[in-house]
Amino acid sequence: MRDIELMVKDYRLTTAEILYHMPDHPSLLQTYVWQGLDLAPKFPTLHKFLAFWESSLDGRLHSVKIASAELVKPSRLRYARAMMRLH
């Protein structure tokens, strides 16, 4: 129920592809995919996660790509042009 309430409040499904330097081999990059509901365009939940990453994890961030999509959209209505009955 909580996710539906967030979607109605304009939260969107947000996916972030995070590239980071491996702690043991800084010249190599590793990929991490984060996904959650967040508010575009400021993305406070993602920023909170990235702040946690920088303060608590060893892998230094290289880049972050963000994709966001609305999940709840206005419905599309179409009227029927004809109504037929088949016996």
Side-chain angles (χ1 to χ4, degrees):
M1 184 71 171
R2 184 177 172 336
D3 287 346
I4 292 175
E5 291 172 0
L6 290 176
M7 286 183 242
V8 170
K9 294 179 182 177
D10 204 29
Y11 277 72
R12 299 172 180 201
L13 180 64
T14 304
T15 304
E17 179 187 14
I18 301 168
L19 286 177
Y20 65 95
H21 296 273
M22 296 201 47
D24 297 339
H25 304 284
S27 61
L28 296 177
L29 293 175
Q30 182 76 20
T31 302
Y32 180 81
V33 176
W34 176 90
Q35 193 172 49
L37 293 175
D38 209 351
L39 274 172
K42 294 187 179 184
F43 303 109
T45 308
L46 178 59
H47 281 286
K48 183 178 175 183
F49 175 74
L50 293 174
F52 164 77
W53 183 296
E54 290 181 333
S55 66
S56 302
L57 301 179
D58 292 333
R60 189 172 52 94
L61 293 175
H62 178 270
S63 61
V64 178
K65 290 182 187 176
I66 302 171
S68 181
E70 285 185 81
L71 296 176
V72 177
K73 298 179 183 178
S75 62
R76 294 169 52 188
L77 296 176
R78 288 185 1 192
Y79 292 100
R81 293 185 185 183
M83 184 172 153
M84 299 177 197
R85 281 198 177 171
L86 184 62
H87 294 289

